[in-house]
Amino acid sequence: MSTAEMLGAGMRGKGVTVLHAYSDHLWLFGDKSPPPTIAPLDVEPVTGESSSDEGPPESEDPITSDPCLESGVETLSLEARANHLVPTPEEGDDVSAADVIELNGDAEEVAEVKDQRTPQEQMDELLHRCFFQALKCRVKKADLPLLTSTFLRNHLFACCPEGQQVDIKRSSYKKLSKFLQCMQQRKVLQVKELTKGAESIVDVDWKHHDIRSFVVPDTESAEPAPSESKGGIGEPTHHPPVITPLYGISARVAPLFTEAGHRKGDYLVASEIGRA
């Protein structure tokens, strides 16, 4: 309201909405200029009877009439939004302080999501991980047909991370045969009973999406990868054994090695026979 209306109301009621005060945080972002000096006004109160009388001229709001202050407030508002100190109308409508706290809390809860799984779910994940890692990194086509028990013992268990062990009884499958049957339904492999009471993996679809998309963990990729050979991709290089010929001392030639400290029944390499 104007000054005249304010005095006419007996200085009672709500006449001003405080948006900005001297020396507050908004003032600190500006040029920190002092407030303008306002001369006191001598205005007579307005009565209802003399409505035709001309009232005292209304004085303009000193804050809004000052062009320096107007430009300063506008500049401050733009700088505050540029520095994300004041949310834009779009951001202010959708994001509240509670939402910001909730988003910060979600970041801390994401790391605990895995810990909230049941032991059975964790065992299922470990079983799937070791299964696909074994098919992708260890089992070769030349190994087929492969007994399921051999696959479990020599390949799947070998892919377990350090400090962990697959226990199928603690998984949702309970049995290896049930797990492999599920993988067969997904057309990852094919299992047949070649001998009575013994199932074997007879075929593996290495082009299956589940095998191709499986990413080998860093701990496995850090180990020396098996080199390729003529036997197929992933087959380790064959290192032939080192054979050293040995010659035994019989009864007929034993007198020849007596001075060298050898006797009947000793075995010598060729270089030792020459020195003897």
Side-chain angles (χ1 to χ4, degrees), residues 141 144-145 188-191 200-206:
K141 190 173 182 179
L144 305 180
V188 177
L189 47 71
Q190 187 176 1
V191 179
S200 299
I201 300 174
V202 296
D203 187 31
V204 177
D205 184 8
W206 277 282

Side-chain angles (χ1 to χ4, degrees), residues 36-245:
T37 303
I38 304 175
L41 298 177
D42 223 357
V43 182
E44 297 179 0
V46 179
T47 60
E49 298 177 356
S50 58
S51 59
S52 59
D53 296 340
E54 294 183 0
E58 298 180 359
S59 62
E60 297 180 355
D61 190 350
I63 297 179
T64 57
S65 61
D66 192 343
C68 296
L69 293 178
E70 292 180 359
S71 61
V73 171
E74 183 179 359
T75 304
L76 176 60
S77 176
L78 294 175
E79 291 177 354
R81 289 187 179 180
N83 296 327
H84 304 286
L85 299 174
V86 179
T88 59
E90 293 80 10
E91 295 173 347
D93 293 340
D94 299 333
V95 181
S96 62
D99 295 333
V100 174
I101 297 175
E102 182 178 356
L103 291 175
N104 293 335
D106 291 342
E108 299 176 356
E109 293 176 0
V110 168
E112 301 178 359
V113 172
K114 290 187 177 180
D115 297 336
Q116 296 176 356
R117 296 172 303 170
T118 63
Q120 188 179 77
E121 292 173 345
Q122 295 179 11
M123 185 56 63
D124 285 349
E125 181 185 356
L126 179 62
L127 176 59
H128 281 84
R129 168 185 169 178
C130 297
F131 171 75
F132 286 110
Q133 183 174 332
L135 292 182
K136 191 168 186 176
C137 302
R138 300 182 64 88
V139 179
K140 305 179 295 295
K141 190 173 182 179
D143 296 331
L144 305 180
L146 179 65
L147 287 171
T148 57
S149 58
T150 304
F151 169 75
L152 178 67
R153 182 177 60 255
N154 296 345
H155 300 286
L156 194 146
F157 284 164
C159 294
C160 292
E162 185 177 358
Q164 293 181 301
Q165 180 63 43
V166 171
D167 188 353
I168 300 181
K169 293 182 180 179
R170 294 173 54 192
S171 69
S172 60
Y173 300 97
K174 304 302 180 182
K175 295 182 180 180
L176 177 63
S177 58
K178 185 178 179 180
F179 172 72
L180 294 178
Q181 184 179 5
C182 179
M183 293 296 108
Q184 183 172 245
Q185 292 175 354
R186 293 167 58 176
K187 298 183 179 180
V188 177
L189 47 71
Q190 187 176 1
V191 179
K192 288 185 178 181
E193 187 176 353
L194 300 181
T195 58
K196 187 176 181 179
E199 292 183 337
S200 299
I201 300 174
V202 296
D203 187 31
V204 177
D205 184 8
W206 277 282
K207 295 182 180 180
H208 194 279
H209 173 73
D210 292 343
I211 299 179
R212 293 174 64 90
S213 61
F214 176 77
V215 179
V216 180
D218 294 338
T219 54
E220 180 70 16
S221 59
E223 297 178 359
S227 59
E228 299 183 4
S229 62
K230 296 181 180 179
I233 299 176
E235 181 180 356
T237 304
H238 176 68
H239 297 284
V242 179
I243 301 176
T244 303

